[in-house]
Amino acid sequence: MNKPLPTFALQACCRPSPLSLQNVLLAIAVTLPWSPLLAAAAADVVGTSTTSASQSEVSWTSGGVSEEGREELRQVASHYNVHVMFSEQRGSYLAGIPFSVVRLAQGKERQIASGVSEGPLLYLKLAPGAYRIAAEVDGVWQKQHVRVGAGGSPARMSFVFRGK
C-alpha cells in the first residue's frame, strides 16, 4: 500500500505560495488599467489586417488609408497572391468597401469569403484556381475574374468606381 505523505509535505505542495499569489495580483493590477491602451496598440498593428476565422480557406488583409497603413501592407504583400485596389475615377482612394470572393470550379460556384475592406488595398491569399471577386460602392457591384497560379507575381486588379 501507498504510504501517506507526511503533513508538512502536503502543506508545502498544495498550499499556494503567498509570494506567487502577490505577483499574480500585482501583474493584474498593473496591466488592467493599461488593457484599453494595449488593445488599441494591438488594433493599430492589425488594424490593417482583417481575417475571418470562419473563412479559413482565404486569408486576407486590408487597409492602407494612411501612409503608415500602406507601409504595413507593403511589408506583408509578398504573403498574398492577389492585390486589389479600390478608387474613384478621379483617383481618390476608397475605404469601407464590401467585397466577396467566389471560387469558380467546373461549373460550380462557391462563395469562399466576404468582408469589408478597411482601406483602398485588399490583399488575398487564394489557392490556385479561378475566382470572381466583386466589390460594391454606392449600391453598385462590380465583378472581375482572376486566375491564380501556383507561383510567380501576384495577380493585380483595380476596381474603379464613378464618383458622384
Side-chain angles (χ1 to χ4, degrees), residues 92-125:
S92 299
Y93 289 119
L94 298 173
I97 306 299
F99 71 91
S100 69
V101 179
V102 173
R103 181 164 183 131
L104 309 172
Q106 301 170 353
K108 297 179 185 177
E109 294 185 3
R110 185 170 57 96
Q111 182 172 317
I112 59 170
S114 65
V116 176
S117 179
E118 293 178 9
L121 302 175
L122 169 66
Y123 294 169
L124 301 151
K125 186 174 190 177

Side-chain angles (χ1 to χ4, degrees), residues 51-128:
T51 304
S52 174
S54 64
Q55 300 171 8
S56 59
E57 279 185 68
V58 179
S59 176
W60 59 276
T61 187
S62 68
V65 173
S66 65
E67 182 58 41
E68 204 173 85
R70 285 187 295 277
E71 181 56 34
E72 287 177 11
L73 284 175
R74 274 187 220 113
Q75 292 176 4
V76 299
S78 64
H79 300 289
Y80 298 90
N81 56 3
V82 177
H83 296 186
V84 182
M85 185 179 68
F86 305 109
S87 66
E88 289 184 335
Q89 249 178 347
R90 295 183 202 136
S92 299
Y93 289 119
L94 298 173
I97 306 299
F99 71 91
S100 69
V101 179
V102 173
R103 181 164 183 131
L104 309 172
Q106 301 170 353
K108 297 179 185 177
E109 294 185 3
R110 185 170 57 96
Q111 182 172 317
I112 59 170
S114 65
V116 176
S117 179
E118 293 178 9
L121 302 175
L122 169 66
Y123 294 169
L124 301 151
K125 186 174 190 177
L126 302 173

Side-chain angles (χ1 to χ4, degrees), residues 13 19 46 48 78 89 100 148 159:
C13 79
L19 184 57
V46 295
T48 59
S78 64
Q89 249 178 347
S100 69
V148 177
F159 286 88

